[in-house]
Amino acid sequence: MSSYFWLRSFWVLMMFMHNVSQCQAGCAEVDSMTEAVAGQSSMLGCISCKRRAEVPGSAIVEWHFKPLGSGEDFVHIFSYQYPDSTIHHEDFEERLEWYGTKGTSDVQIGAVLIHNVTFNDTGTYRCSFLRTLYLPVKEEFVNITKEVELTVVSEANRELTAVISEIMMFVLIVVLQLWMIGVLIYCYKKVYAENEAREARKAMRAEHEHLESKDPCDGVHME
């Protein structure tokens, strides 16, 4: 299987873990891959976790690019503001696809997919999160910037691909097993609690019926 398949699977797993972790008030930041194969698609990963997951917020993600060996400044190539994405540079026209958080403006995964990678795509990519936190007193603005050094090669490193595939298989197996164990434990606790509550209600009902059926004159002796 191609390195892109495992790269895509890796980021699908990271997005799954991110979505699951939102229920647990957690988030895991992952470094982007730094090698792409000419003619194929490649993922530029960028994750920025909120420090306080319970605080609602929104984020705009901007991507800039500076070619290798270029003395020029970074050029603006892509932006995402829920629910719209915009390509700003003609060299990347119809080649960039949003692959980050979807369905909400509270973006924490800012990944983009580059289609039909060329050697001219070698260089430094800068990912910027322009985040707004909606605090009870006032809004707070936070800017986070990360850089990815991307190298484009003519063919995939077979050893690297094999390592990635083994790691992915191991991570997938472990995560799925832990998830299944967690679900089983949750279901067991839920069923046990419901049974306990049912038994308690039955006991209270039986005691109540017993008190109602008991003769109030029992134990009273007439002289």
PDB file of all heavy atoms in Angstrom, residues 74-94:
ATOM      1  N   PHE A  74       6.861  34.852   2.970  1.00  0.00           N
ATOM      2  CA  PHE A  74       5.799  33.851   2.807  1.00  0.00           C
ATOM      3  C   PHE A  74       4.657  34.447   1.987  1.00  0.00           C
ATOM      4  O   PHE A  74       4.332  35.639   2.116  1.00  0.00           O
ATOM      5  CB  PHE A  74       5.258  33.423   4.174  1.00  0.00           C
ATOM      6  CG  PHE A  74       6.142  32.449   4.901  1.00  0.00           C
ATOM      7  CD1 PHE A  74       7.184  32.906   5.704  1.00  0.00           C
ATOM      8  CD2 PHE A  74       5.927  31.085   4.801  1.00  0.00           C
ATOM      9  CE1 PHE A  74       7.991  32.012   6.376  1.00  0.00           C
ATOM     10  CE2 PHE A  74       6.726  30.189   5.484  1.00  0.00           C
ATOM     11  CZ  PHE A  74       7.762  30.646   6.267  1.00  0.00           C
ATOM     12  N   VAL A  75       4.065  33.614   1.131  1.00  0.00           N
ATOM     13  CA  VAL A  75       2.895  34.034   0.372  1.00  0.00           C
ATOM     14  C   VAL A  75       1.666  33.321   0.921  1.00  0.00           C
ATOM     15  O   VAL A  75       1.726  32.167   1.351  1.00  0.00           O
ATOM     16  CB  VAL A  75       3.057  33.715  -1.133  1.00  0.00           C
ATOM     17  CG1 VAL A  75       4.174  34.540  -1.731  1.00  0.00           C
ATOM     18  CG2 VAL A  75       3.293  32.228  -1.360  1.00  0.00           C
ATOM     19  N   HIS A  76       0.542  34.024   0.912  1.00  0.00           N
ATOM     20  CA  HIS A  76      -0.713  33.487   1.434  1.00  0.00           C
ATOM     21  C   HIS A  76      -1.300  32.528   0.398  1.00  0.00           C
ATOM     22  O   HIS A  76      -1.563  32.920  -0.745  1.00  0.00           O
ATOM     23  CB  HIS A  76      -1.677  34.636   1.712  1.00  0.00           C
ATOM     24  CG  HIS A  76      -2.848  34.248   2.553  1.00  0.00           C
ATOM     25  ND1 HIS A  76      -3.956  35.061   2.718  1.00  0.00           N
ATOM     26  CD2 HIS A  76      -3.100  33.136   3.293  1.00  0.00           C
ATOM     27  CE1 HIS A  76      -4.821  34.470   3.524  1.00  0.00           C
ATOM     28  NE2 HIS A  76      -4.333  33.302   3.872  1.00  0.00           N
ATOM     29  N   ILE A  77      -1.522  31.247   0.777  1.00  0.00           N
ATOM     30  CA  ILE A  77      -2.005  30.271  -0.199  1.00  0.00           C
ATOM     31  C   ILE A  77      -3.388  29.725   0.121  1.00  0.00           C
ATOM     32  O   ILE A  77      -4.093  29.255  -0.786  1.00  0.00           O
ATOM     33  CB  ILE A  77      -1.017  29.096  -0.347  1.00  0.00           C
ATOM     34  CG1 ILE A  77      -0.869  28.338   0.987  1.00  0.00           C
ATOM     35  CG2 ILE A  77       0.330  29.577  -0.861  1.00  0.00           C
ATOM     36  CD1 ILE A  77      -0.043  27.062   0.866  1.00  0.00           C
ATOM     37  N   PHE A  78      -3.815  29.766   1.398  1.00  0.00           N
ATOM     38  CA  PHE A  78      -5.074  29.103   1.741  1.00  0.00           C
ATOM     39  C   PHE A  78      -5.604  29.660   3.056  1.00  0.00           C
ATOM     40  O   PHE A  78      -4.843  30.043   3.946  1.00  0.00           O
ATOM     41  CB  PHE A  78      -4.835  27.593   1.891  1.00  0.00           C
ATOM     42  CG  PHE A  78      -6.074  26.782   2.161  1.00  0.00           C
ATOM     43  CD1 PHE A  78      -6.857  26.311   1.118  1.00  0.00           C
ATOM     44  CD2 PHE A  78      -6.460  26.477   3.458  1.00  0.00           C
ATOM     45  CE1 PHE A  78      -7.999  25.553   1.357  1.00  0.00           C
ATOM     46  CE2 PHE A  78      -7.594  25.722   3.712  1.00  0.00           C
ATOM     47  CZ  PHE A  78      -8.370  25.263   2.651  1.00  0.00           C
ATOM     48  N   SER A  79      -6.932  29.688   3.167  1.00  0.00           N
ATOM     49  CA  SER A  79      -7.562  30.067   4.434  1.00  0.00           C
ATOM     50  C   SER A  79      -8.851  29.284   4.607  1.00  0.00           C
ATOM     51  O   SER A  79      -9.508  28.900   3.616  1.00  0.00           O
ATOM     52  CB  SER A  79      -7.842  31.571   4.484  1.00  0.00           C
ATOM     53  OG  SER A  79      -8.768  31.941   3.480  1.00  0.00           O
ATOM     54  N   TYR A  80      -9.207  29.053   5.868  1.00  0.00           N
ATOM     55  CA  TYR A  80     -10.456  28.367   6.191  1.00  0.00           C
ATOM     56  C   TYR A  80     -11.138  29.103   7.328  1.00  0.00           C
ATOM     57  O   TYR A  80     -10.550  29.332   8.382  1.00  0.00           O
ATOM     58  CB  TYR A  80     -10.206  26.916   6.612  1.00  0.00           C
ATOM     59  CG  TYR A  80     -11.486  26.189   6.993  1.00  0.00           C
ATOM     60  CD1 TYR A  80     -12.304  25.616   6.029  1.00  0.00           C
ATOM     61  CD2 TYR A  80     -11.882  26.100   8.330  1.00  0.00           C
ATOM     62  CE1 TYR A  80     -13.482  24.969   6.367  1.00  0.00           C
ATOM     63  CE2 TYR A  80     -13.066  25.460   8.679  1.00  0.00           C
ATOM     64  CZ  TYR A  80     -13.859  24.890   7.696  1.00  0.00           C
ATOM     65  OH  TYR A  80     -15.025  24.253   8.041  1.00  0.00           O
ATOM     66  N   GLN A  81     -12.381  29.485   7.078  1.00  0.00           N
ATOM     67  CA  GLN A  81     -13.245  30.056   8.108  1.00  0.00           C
ATOM     68  C   GLN A  81     -14.605  29.399   7.942  1.00  0.00           C
ATOM     69  O   GLN A  81     -15.263  29.575   6.920  1.00  0.00           O
ATOM     70  CB  GLN A  81     -13.364  31.576   7.980  1.00  0.00           C
ATOM     71  CG  GLN A  81     -14.213  32.206   9.074  1.00  0.00           C
ATOM     72  CD  GLN A  81     -14.208  33.718   9.013  1.00  0.00           C
ATOM     73  OE1 GLN A  81     -13.690  34.317   8.066  1.00  0.00           O
ATOM     74  NE2 GLN A  81     -14.771  34.362  10.030  1.00  0.00           N
ATOM     75  N   TYR A  82     -14.975  28.612   8.929  1.00  0.00           N
ATOM     76  CA  TYR A  82     -16.178  27.777   8.822  1.00  0.00           C
ATOM     77  C   TYR A  82     -17.347  28.552   8.241  1.00  0.00           C
ATOM     78  O   TYR A  82     -17.649  29.655   8.698  1.00  0.00           O
ATOM     79  CB  TYR A  82     -16.542  27.231  10.208  1.00  0.00           C
ATOM     80  CG  TYR A  82     -17.845  26.459  10.231  1.00  0.00           C
ATOM     81  CD1 TYR A  82     -17.884  25.157   9.776  1.00  0.00           C
ATOM     82  CD2 TYR A  82     -19.021  27.066  10.679  1.00  0.00           C
ATOM     83  CE1 TYR A  82     -19.083  24.448   9.791  1.00  0.00           C
ATOM     84  CE2 TYR A  82     -20.218  26.365  10.685  1.00  0.00           C
ATOM     85  CZ  TYR A  82     -20.242  25.059  10.244  1.00  0.00           C
ATOM     86  OH  TYR A  82     -21.418  24.355  10.247  1.00  0.00           O
ATOM     87  N   PRO A  83     -18.003  27.972   7.222  1.00  0.00           N
ATOM     88  CA  PRO A  83     -17.751  26.657   6.610  1.00  0.00           C
ATOM     89  C   PRO A  83     -17.016  26.740   5.275  1.00  0.00           C
ATOM     90  O   PRO A  83     -17.029  25.789   4.495  1.00  0.00           O
ATOM     91  CB  PRO A  83     -19.169  26.143   6.381  1.00  0.00           C
ATOM     92  CG  PRO A  83     -19.922  27.386   6.010  1.00  0.00           C
ATOM     93  CD  PRO A  83     -19.300  28.529   6.791  1.00  0.00           C
ATOM     94  N   ASP A  84     -16.360  27.890   4.991  1.00  0.00           N
ATOM     95  CA  ASP A  84     -15.786  28.124   3.658  1.00  0.00           C
ATOM     96  C   ASP A  84     -14.264  28.056   3.678  1.00  0.00           C
ATOM     97  O   ASP A  84     -13.614  28.492   4.631  1.00  0.00           O
ATOM     98  CB  ASP A  84     -16.224  29.494   3.133  1.00  0.00           C
ATOM     99  CG  ASP A  84     -17.734  29.620   3.035  1.00  0.00           C
ATOM    100  OD1 ASP A  84     -18.363  28.665   2.551  1.00  0.00           O
ATOM    101  OD2 ASP A  84     -18.281  30.663   3.461  1.00  0.00           O
ATOM    102  N   SER A  85     -13.704  27.524   2.585  1.00  0.00           N
ATOM    103  CA  SER A  85     -12.257  27.517   2.393  1.00  0.00           C
ATOM    104  C   SER A  85     -11.942  28.276   1.104  1.00  0.00           C
ATOM    105  O   SER A  85     -12.718  28.249   0.152  1.00  0.00           O
ATOM    106  CB  SER A  85     -11.722  26.088   2.303  1.00  0.00           C
ATOM    107  OG  SER A  85     -12.330  25.382   1.228  1.00  0.00           O
ATOM    108  N   THR A  86     -10.779  28.946   1.080  1.00  0.00           N
ATOM    109  CA  THR A  86     -10.404  29.769  -0.065  1.00  0.00           C
ATOM    110  C   THR A  86      -8.940  29.534  -0.413  1.00  0.00           C
ATOM    111  O   THR A  86      -8.076  29.552   0.468  1.00  0.00           O
ATOM    112  CB  THR A  86     -10.612  31.270   0.233  1.00  0.00           C
ATOM    113  OG1 THR A  86     -11.959  31.496   0.660  1.00  0.00           O
ATOM    114  CG2 THR A  86     -10.330  32.105  -0.996  1.00  0.00           C
ATOM    115  N   ILE A  87      -8.655  29.305  -1.717  1.00  0.00           N
ATOM    116  CA  ILE A  87      -7.282  29.185  -2.204  1.00  0.00           C
ATOM    117  C   ILE A  87      -6.862  30.552  -2.734  1.00  0.00           C
ATOM    118  O   ILE A  87      -7.530  31.124  -3.601  1.00  0.00           O
ATOM    119  CB  ILE A  87      -7.183  28.119  -3.308  1.00  0.00           C
ATOM    120  CG1 ILE A  87      -7.601  26.746  -2.756  1.00  0.00           C
ATOM    121  CG2 ILE A  87      -5.759  28.054  -3.859  1.00  0.00           C
ATOM    122  CD1 ILE A  87      -7.664  25.655  -3.807  1.00  0.00           C
ATOM    123  N   HIS A  88      -5.737  31.069  -2.231  1.00  0.00           N
ATOM    124  CA  HIS A  88      -5.343  32.443  -2.532  1.00  0.00           C
ATOM    125  C   HIS A  88      -4.217  32.557  -3.553  1.00  0.00           C
ATOM    126  O   HIS A  88      -3.898  33.673  -3.968  1.00  0.00           O
ATOM    127  CB  HIS A  88      -4.904  33.159  -1.245  1.00  0.00           C
ATOM    128  CG  HIS A  88      -5.989  33.283  -0.219  1.00  0.00           C
ATOM    129  ND1 HIS A  88      -7.020  34.188  -0.327  1.00  0.00           N
ATOM    130  CD2 HIS A  88      -6.216  32.600   0.936  1.00  0.00           C
ATOM    131  CE1 HIS A  88      -7.820  34.085   0.713  1.00  0.00           C
ATOM    132  NE2 HIS A  88      -7.365  33.119   1.495  1.00  0.00           N
ATOM    133  N   HIS A  89      -3.604  31.444  -3.942  1.00  0.00           N
ATOM    134  CA  HIS A  89      -2.460  31.526  -4.854  1.00  0.00           C
ATOM    135  C   HIS A  89      -2.698  30.627  -6.058  1.00  0.00           C
ATOM    136  O   HIS A  89      -3.120  29.479  -5.920  1.00  0.00           O
ATOM    137  CB  HIS A  89      -1.177  31.119  -4.128  1.00  0.00           C
ATOM    138  CG  HIS A  89       0.073  31.580  -4.815  1.00  0.00           C
ATOM    139  ND1 HIS A  89       0.605  30.930  -5.907  1.00  0.00           N
ATOM    140  CD2 HIS A  89       0.886  32.643  -4.576  1.00  0.00           C
ATOM    141  CE1 HIS A  89       1.702  31.551  -6.296  1.00  0.00           C
ATOM    142  NE2 HIS A  89       1.884  32.604  -5.508  1.00  0.00           N
ATOM    143  N   GLU A  90      -2.385  31.146  -7.246  1.00  0.00           N
ATOM    144  CA  GLU A  90      -2.663  30.425  -8.485  1.00  0.00           C
ATOM    145  C   GLU A  90      -1.880  29.121  -8.611  1.00  0.00           C
ATOM    146  O   GLU A  90      -2.339  28.172  -9.251  1.00  0.00           O
ATOM    147  CB  GLU A  90      -2.373  31.324  -9.685  1.00  0.00           C
ATOM    148  CG  GLU A  90      -0.946  31.818  -9.745  1.00  0.00           C
ATOM    149  CD  GLU A  90      -0.690  32.771 -10.917  1.00  0.00           C
ATOM    150  OE1 GLU A  90      -1.668  33.102 -11.612  1.00  0.00           O
ATOM    151  OE2 GLU A  90       0.477  33.164 -11.118  1.00  0.00           O
ATOM    152  N   ASP A  91      -0.685  29.050  -7.997  1.00  0.00           N
ATOM    153  CA  ASP A  91       0.102  27.818  -8.083  1.00  0.00           C
ATOM    154  C   ASP A  91      -0.571  26.648  -7.375  1.00  0.00           C
ATOM    155  O   ASP A  91      -0.253  25.486  -7.648  1.00  0.00           O
ATOM    156  CB  ASP A  91       1.499  28.035  -7.490  1.00  0.00           C
ATOM    157  CG  ASP A  91       2.351  28.954  -8.346  1.00  0.00           C
ATOM    158  OD1 ASP A  91       1.949  29.224  -9.503  1.00  0.00           O
ATOM    159  OD2 ASP A  91       3.406  29.410  -7.867  1.00  0.00           O
ATOM    160  N   PHE A  92      -1.488  26.952  -6.457  1.00  0.00           N
ATOM    161  CA  PHE A  92      -2.175  25.900  -5.699  1.00  0.00           C
ATOM    162  C   PHE A  92      -3.652  25.793  -6.081  1.00  0.00           C
ATOM    163  O   PHE A  92      -4.409  25.092  -5.417  1.00  0.00           O
ATOM    164  CB  PHE A  92      -2.049  26.168  -4.201  1.00  0.00           C
ATOM    165  CG  PHE A  92      -0.648  26.048  -3.678  1.00  0.00           C
ATOM    166  CD1 PHE A  92       0.202  27.151  -3.658  1.00  0.00           C
ATOM    167  CD2 PHE A  92      -0.167  24.830  -3.223  1.00  0.00           C
ATOM    168  CE1 PHE A  92       1.498  27.041  -3.175  1.00  0.00           C
ATOM    169  CE2 PHE A  92       1.127  24.712  -2.734  1.00  0.00           C
ATOM    170  CZ  PHE A  92       1.964  25.819  -2.724  1.00  0.00           C
ATOM    171  N   GLU A  93      -4.024  26.473  -7.152  1.00  0.00           N
ATOM    172  CA  GLU A  93      -5.417  26.466  -7.584  1.00  0.00           C
ATOM    173  C   GLU A  93      -5.894  25.047  -7.878  1.00  0.00           C
ATOM    174  O   GLU A  93      -5.242  24.290  -8.610  1.00  0.00           O
ATOM    175  CB  GLU A  93      -5.590  27.333  -8.843  1.00  0.00           C
ATOM    176  CG  GLU A  93      -7.024  27.666  -9.171  1.00  0.00           C
ATOM    177  CD  GLU A  93      -7.649  28.605  -8.151  1.00  0.00           C
ATOM    178  OE1 GLU A  93      -6.921  29.466  -7.618  1.00  0.00           O
ATOM    179  OE2 GLU A  93      -8.857  28.449  -7.888  1.00  0.00           O
ATOM    180  N   GLU A  94      -7.024  24.677  -7.248  1.00  0.00           N
ATOM    181  CA  GLU A  94      -7.648  23.358  -7.407  1.00  0.00           C
ATOM    182  C   GLU A  94      -6.755  22.207  -6.917  1.00  0.00           C
ATOM    183  O   GLU A  94      -7.010  21.052  -7.226  1.00  0.00           O
ATOM    184  CB  GLU A  94      -8.038  23.107  -8.867  1.00  0.00           C
ATOM    185  CG  GLU A  94      -9.067  24.087  -9.404  1.00  0.00           C
ATOM    186  CD  GLU A  94      -9.480  23.782 -10.818  1.00  0.00           C
ATOM    187  OE1 GLU A  94      -8.897  22.861 -11.431  1.00  0.00           O
ATOM    188  OE2 GLU A  94     -10.386  24.469 -11.329  1.00  0.00           O
TER     189      GLU A  94
END
